[in-house]
Amino acid sequence: MSRFFTAGDSSSESSSSDEEELYSEEETGQKSEEESDEDEEASDDEDESSSDSERPGKSGVSQFLRDQVSSDESEDEDKVTIVKSAKDKRLEELEAVVKLIENAEKINDWSSISTEFDKLNRQVTKMTAQDKAPKVYIKTISDLEDFMNETIAKQKVSTKKMNATNAKGLNAMKQKIKRNNKDYSVEIDKYREDKGDYMMSDEEEEVVVVEKIRKPKSVYVEGADPGDDEGFETVGRGGKTLQYTPESIFKHLRSIVESRGKKNTDRAEQIRIMERLLDVAVTPYQTIRVLLTLISTRFDLTSGSTATFMSQEQWKLAESEFGKLLEVLEENRNMVVLENAEEWEDDEKPPQPTPGEKLRIPGSIVSIVERLDDELTRSLQHIDPHTAEYIERLSDEQALYTNIVRGLLYIEDLQKDSKLETSQDSANRVVMRRLEHIYFKPAQVVNILEETAWKAIPSQLNSEITPRESTPDTAALVQTLSTYLFKHSVDIIRARAYLCQVYYFALHDQYYRARDMLLMSHLQETIGNFNINTQILFNRTLVQVGLCAFRANLVYESQNTLQEICGSGRQKELLAQGVMIQRYSQVTPEQERLERQRQLPFHMHINLELLECVYLTCSMLLEIPLLAQTGSSPDIKKRIISKTYRRLLEFHERQIFTGPPENTRDHVMQASRALAAGEWKKAAELINSIKIWDLMAESDKMKAILSEQIQEEGLRTYLFTYAPFYDTLAVSVLASMFELSERKVAAVVSKMISHEELAAALDQVNSAIIFRKGVELSRLQSLALTLSDKASGLIEANERTLEQRTQGTANAFERQGGQGGRGGRGGRGGRGGQRGDRGGARTRGGQQFGGGALGGAIKA
């Protein structure tokens, strides 16, 4: 038979194999056309040869041609054609990519390595599912990981840094290799144990076929209870009905616990099974075990899914089941749930409590309380606060608070038994959660929370920390919880309790008490060492103290307290009330996600517009008199109280046309200009027309206080501005001008004179102010003083520089008699003297700068 027929047979056989499916349709079409042409040619050759054999007498040219054809065929048969399978082709492609990676390693080109590594993984995934990864691939990823670790180690000690492209590729490969090599860790370990034997061995491991777990299906059962899912029962594999009996509860629970965290686990189905188990549970021990597992599984619904928070339905079910768990534990005092209890292994025989001993069940009441609280907070973070859904969700806080108090009562009961060795940290965590739910609320709201919670708790239960009869006094409740945490906790919990108490005092207008506590805590010095959530609480407390000072008419204290937060321009971020994404910020998605998780729910927010209004108003009342004072007295050193306010005021003054005020900032800026011009009535009207004041308690009283404060600052501004133009000024004139009592005007002027802000004297007999002339320095004298200040500052800077250069050898240039190394010239010999005490007299050597004629005139 001819070679072409043989090729055709082999191709037809290979078409039935799995490898033929990997060829493209185009290659298959071309191959079939070539085979058909070859078959036709072969049939023609056979016809000719058969015709020649039938005519034996034929000779000459025909015989010659026939020999020529036969010789051509023999030459074609000598050629070797290699037919490769699809698997071999893919292996060759894999080896080619590996070669490229090895070449890139030689030149340390991590950008190319990253690109080729992605291509390598795509080719490996194209391999058949039943085949394991090729050994070449295992070798490559193992060697690549070792090479990457070497490169990172070299970079740490090397002074020469990678270029940006290479460094980016290296960082990308670091993540890719870490994520990719997890799946092949077993093969990589085998390769690293003995690289030579691993690559030489050709044995293939058996493919383990993982049998998929089939979900139980429901079938109709004759004679079934009509109330049981309308005649349907759950069946497992083989069509056998799943029986839920008290004896099988622990077996079902164990299978559910073992499947926890695994992929493709139907948690909803597990919850339905446990709900059935809860119905058939007959003993308290069975009920407690089922409830603990059921609540944990409900929390797992959001852990592996795309949902960002727990649904309200599941949360309420978990909350009601937690309440039922506490009821069972309260009724059965011989059973306790502890975190350090040992797991009971025997599913057939439940444990029996020993007389006089309590049965310990593994679990954590505190963790459930914290998880319920966290899930409620997370849902409030993601719900739009301007909808009815947010209000509805917020109403669940009452049920949560009741469970927190009830959980605290249970922890207190456990602490009474010294044999249980209950950790103090458990009680601290629950008390802290309770305190965090009440510290930012007004007293009336806290009273309602407490009364409703104690009504829902059985009357026989009472607390030693916060007895039932002490609930009406909210301040005492906060004080009690905070004091308990001061005594029994350390570090973060103690600091948070302290800040919560200060916040509560500031919220309820106890400024001096809040201020003293905050100053005595010294938290402002160590707050940077705490976690971010505690720093956010510190910022909130600081802002609340500043607002409390403003409500107490303490303008300077309020501005000084709010300066750090409001002066930064990042109030929203520092108070965790919004994420500020800068245009060119280097924030990674992970950092942004963590930042969003730290955001506070809307009902805990401090009004940022009110905060800005208070800060700018306080800055106006302090800055405008200061500007007038520095403008009229050039000898006074210019100082700035609020850079933010100054910047806004300068921007507003540069405006060519200013229309009517539209927002809070515009009102304050126009009021500032009016106050600087002496128009205090217009300034008071502009400030009082800001609508945000209505959000404060007793807004009318606050507006009256602000108007009075503006009158006084207007008087001070007027005196600073026009004092140089008066010899005497009647107090009655100022009183009528600013609509203040003469006694008030005299008090303001006396205060200015005592603080040396005004060079004048108060004539109480004639009720007039007598201004002293000649006290103000002339322009030349002011410039001379400025020059002397700058010269002395330059000398001090030079001395500091010399001390830094010499570093302990400052006395190396001294000679006998205290003369310096350059004392011979007389000009700078005094520099070699001692500098240990800056306050003492400087050793004189050579000439000293005395200021010349100008200095003598000033001294005279």
Side-chain angles (χ1 to χ4, degrees), residues 494-690:
R494 176 183 289 181
R496 291 184 68 85
Y498 207 94
L499 290 172
C500 287
Q501 188 175 8
V502 173
Y503 189 103
Y504 181 84
F505 288 149
L507 185 66
H508 292 82
D509 295 332
Q510 300 181 38
Y511 169 72
Y512 292 105
R513 192 173 181 183
R515 182 202 63 183
D516 294 343
M517 283 189 65
L518 192 61
L519 292 176
M520 287 189 297
S521 68
H522 297 285
L523 278 173
Q524 60 271 20
E525 300 170 4
T526 59
I527 192 64
N529 301 328
F530 290 91
N531 59 10
I532 296 179
N533 289 327
T534 306
Q535 293 180 26
I536 291 170
L537 179 58
F538 177 80
N539 294 339
R540 285 168 52 80
T541 305
L542 202 62
V543 166
Q544 200 60 248
V545 171
L547 293 175
C548 179
F550 180 77
R551 291 192 296 269
N553 197 21
L554 301 172
V555 175
Y556 177 77
E557 289 82 353
S558 176
Q559 199 277 339
N560 197 22
T561 307
L562 297 176
Q563 174 68 36
E564 188 175 356
I565 303 297
C566 299
S568 65
R570 298 167 54 224
Q571 301 95 307
K572 187 180 291 186
E573 184 180 353
L574 293 174
L575 298 176
Q577 297 182 187
V579 181
M580 296 179 63
I581 304 299
Q582 302 291 340
R583 186 174 181 183
Y584 299 106
S585 63
Q586 301 294 327
V587 179
T588 63
E590 180 67 16
Q591 290 174 334
E592 184 178 350
R593 184 181 64 81
L594 292 174
E595 187 70 23
R596 294 189 183 280
Q597 285 182 356
R598 287 192 287 263
Q599 298 304 299
L600 295 173
F602 184 76
H603 68 281
M604 296 178 67
H605 284 192
I606 297 172
N607 193 301
L608 295 179
E609 188 178 354
L610 177 63
L611 181 62
E612 183 187 29
C613 184
V614 169
Y615 174 70
L616 291 178
T617 303
C618 292
S619 300
M620 177 193 75
L621 294 174
L622 296 175
E623 284 279 8
I624 295 301
L626 182 63
L627 286 170
Q629 184 182 9
T630 55
S632 60
S633 303
D635 59 313
I636 296 178
K637 201 171 188 178
K638 291 186 178 180
R639 62 188 181 96
I640 297 176
I641 296 176
S642 171
K643 290 183 179 180
T644 306
Y645 174 80
R646 286 283 184 98
R647 189 166 55 249
L648 292 173
L649 187 61
E650 290 172 2
F651 176 77
H652 189 266
E653 287 177 348
R654 286 199 301 268
Q655 300 294 321
I656 298 174
F657 172 76
T658 54
E662 297 179 357
N663 52 29
T664 303
R665 192 173 294 177
D666 291 346
H667 278 85
V668 177
M669 291 301 110
Q670 292 196 15
S672 301
R673 295 186 65 178
L675 186 61
E679 301 176 3
W680 66 269
K681 287 186 178 180
K682 183 179 179 181
E685 182 183 350
L686 284 167
I687 292 296
N688 290 335
S689 63
I690 300 175

Side-chain angles (χ1 to χ4, degrees), residues 648-784:
L648 292 173
L649 187 61
E650 290 172 2
F651 176 77
H652 189 266
E653 287 177 348
R654 286 199 301 268
Q655 300 294 321
I656 298 174
F657 172 76
T658 54
E662 297 179 357
N663 52 29
T664 303
R665 192 173 294 177
D666 291 346
H667 278 85
V668 177
M669 291 301 110
Q670 292 196 15
S672 301
R673 295 186 65 178
L675 186 61
E679 301 176 3
W680 66 269
K681 287 186 178 180
K682 183 179 179 181
E685 182 183 350
L686 284 167
I687 292 296
N688 290 335
S689 63
I690 300 175
K691 296 181 179 180
I692 200 69
W693 299 124
D694 297 334
L695 297 179
M696 298 185 73
E698 300 179 351
S699 59
D700 293 336
K701 181 181 176 182
M702 282 303 308
K703 290 178 181 177
I705 292 174
L706 280 173
S707 299
E708 184 180 350
Q709 194 74 29
I710 290 172
Q711 284 176 301
E712 292 181 16
E713 298 303 328
L715 171 61
R716 295 179 72 241
T717 305
Y718 182 83
L719 289 175
F720 282 136
T721 305
Y722 298 106
F725 306 100
Y726 283 102
D727 290 329
T728 58
L729 183 61
V731 173
S732 58
V733 174
L734 291 175
S736 62
M737 188 182 298
F738 291 96
E739 297 181 5
L740 292 170
S741 63
E742 292 188 9
R743 185 175 181 181
K744 186 68 176 176
V745 172
V748 172
V749 172
S750 299
K751 188 175 181 181
M752 293 175 67
I753 293 172
S754 65
H755 290 173
E756 297 183 357
E757 295 175 344
L758 190 65
L762 185 61
D763 186 358
Q764 294 182 346
V765 177
N766 299 320
S767 185
I769 305 169
I770 303 171
F771 295 94
R772 288 182 292 173
K773 294 298 179 183
V775 179
E776 295 84 4
L777 298 177
S778 65
R779 181 67 174 169
L780 179 61
Q781 292 172 331
S782 300
L783 291 175

